Amino acid sequence: MSNKQAKKTAFVLFLMVFWLVSENALAQRNISGKPGYFNVPSAASIEDGLLCFGYTYNPRAYSLRSPGKLPEQILYANLVLFPNVDVTFSLLQMRSNGKRLKSEALGDRQFDIRWRAIEEKKYRPSIALVMTNPFTLDGAMVTQAIVATKNFEISQVLTAQLTGGYGSEYYFGRNVGPTNNGNIFSKFVLRKKSADRYNNGYLVGAFAGGKITFKNKIGVMAEWDGLKLNGGAFVQLFKHINFQAGMLNGDQWMFGASFQGNLNPRNQE
């Protein structure tokens, strides 16, 4: 067996094991892999040890790295480290003629932390802070936001979720380039999104989202992401796979898929 075949076999075996270890309902993921809607993140609680891989397609008109020029794809992995902390690693890549734009190399690499500071109670929403780490050199999805989420039971088969939040226009980053990045703890500056190279307004100001779910399997959702109104639907398959698609601002399609399983043995019973 060649090395290439061995890698494919190992990957398939990993997916089979990953498939078997999860029996949990899925959370919809936003564009960068956090629990949420399309662009808007939520403060929803997710299980300790949950690992999620996913893909999102973002249309050209609303691309974050090159607005109006090229569509994008985002690959992400989200892991719940503790019951109230999850981390997300994402890659944003531009596409041209149906393929990844190789001139951009690997793409925008970003590492985010979501800390659920307050747990949801009967009359109180959960509250979370979403933060892009300050070591990020070049990110079009940088987020510094506070989010509140409340879940409601409408009936035995219908549930609802509402989210509201606010994103800061300011964030800490490093004023260096790839060629002079010798010391990762140097040259931190306070940046303003409207003055950076993208100026895309991603999650700046007030935003909100909501969804209605039928039997934790299928539902509809809508959001105001600070710039535009988006709406769509989602469906869960085989307890592990989630598909979602929506119309951005009423004129462009966005879609994504995610696959998840729980790595914590205590949650696999």
Side-chain angles (χ1 to χ4, degrees), residues 188-238:
F188 288 99
V189 295
L190 183 64
R191 297 182 181 275
K192 191 175 183 180
K193 286 191 174 183
S194 60
D196 67 17
R197 62 178 295 189
Y198 303 115
N199 188 23
N200 56 30
Y202 179 67
L203 294 182
V204 172
F207 54 79
K211 66 178 181 178
I212 296 177
T213 308
F214 176 73
K215 289 187 175 182
N216 288 324
K217 298 290 185 182
I218 189 170
V220 294
M221 57 185 177
E223 67 172 22
W224 168 257
D225 64 12
L227 294 173
K228 57 191 181 299
L229 184 64
N230 312 315
F234 58 89
V235 61
Q236 175 189 324
L237 300 174
F238 311 115

Side-chain angles (χ1 to χ4, degrees), residues 58-95:
N58 196 32
R60 177 177 62 184
Y62 302 109
S63 64
L64 299 172
R65 187 172 171 85
S66 59
K69 296 179 180 179
L70 292 172
E72 302 163 331
Q73 63 183 20
I74 297 92
L75 308 174
Y76 59 79
N78 175 269
L79 174 64
V80 183
L81 294 177
F82 308 104
N84 62 340
V85 175
D86 59 274
V87 297
T88 308
F89 178 75
S90 58
L91 283 175
L92 186 154
Q93 303 169 332
M94 292 191 292
R95 295 173 60 88

Side-chain angles (χ1 to χ4, degrees), residues 219-259:
V220 294
M221 57 185 177
E223 67 172 22
W224 168 257
D225 64 12
L227 294 173
K228 57 191 181 299
L229 184 64
N230 312 315
F234 58 89
V235 61
Q236 175 189 324
L237 300 174
F238 311 115
K239 300 182 181 180
H240 304 269
I241 301 175
N242 186 81
F243 293 102
Q244 60 191 59
M247 186 72 76
L248 304 184
N249 208 33
D251 61 8
Q252 293 282 307
W253 283 101
M254 178 183 191
F255 60 85
S258 60
F259 178 85

Side-chain angles (χ1 to χ4, degrees), residues 1-68:
M1 180 183 295
S2 67
N3 288 336
K4 188 175 181 180
Q5 290 175 323
K7 288 180 180 179
K8 288 183 178 180
T9 301
F11 182 69
V12 171
L13 290 174
F14 170 77
L15 288 182
M16 290 176 64
V17 173
F18 198 54
W19 183 281
L20 294 172
V21 298
S22 175
E23 294 295 334
N24 308 297
L26 299 183
Q28 278 63 57
R29 303 285 169 159
N30 79 341
I31 189 172
S32 64
K34 303 172 189 65
Y37 309 94
F38 297 105
N39 286 301
V40 170
S42 77
S45 173
I46 47 180
E47 288 186 346
D48 181 22
L50 199 68
L51 176 62
C52 175
F53 297 102
Y55 172 93
T56 306
Y57 173 82
N58 196 32
R60 177 177 62 184
Y62 302 109
S63 64
L64 299 172
R65 187 172 171 85
S66 59

Side-chain angles (χ1 to χ4, degrees), residues 143-210:
T143 305
Q144 306 291 339
I146 183 169
V147 188
T149 297
K150 189 75 178 73
N151 291 283
F152 304 91
E153 185 174 326
I154 300 175
S155 69
Q156 291 184 340
V157 296
L158 284 178
T159 58
Q161 182 186 92
L162 293 176
T163 291
Y166 187 87
S168 173
E169 187 177 5
Y170 294 90
Y171 66 96
F172 280 102
R174 297 182 58 225
N175 190 25
V176 297
T179 58
N180 61 340
N181 187 26
N183 182 356
I184 65 170
F185 299 103
S186 66
K187 298 184 179 180
F188 288 99
V189 295
L190 183 64
R191 297 182 181 275
K192 191 175 183 180
K193 286 191 174 183
S194 60
D196 67 17
R197 62 178 295 189
Y198 303 115
N199 188 23
N200 56 30
Y202 179 67
L203 294 182
V204 172
F207 54 79

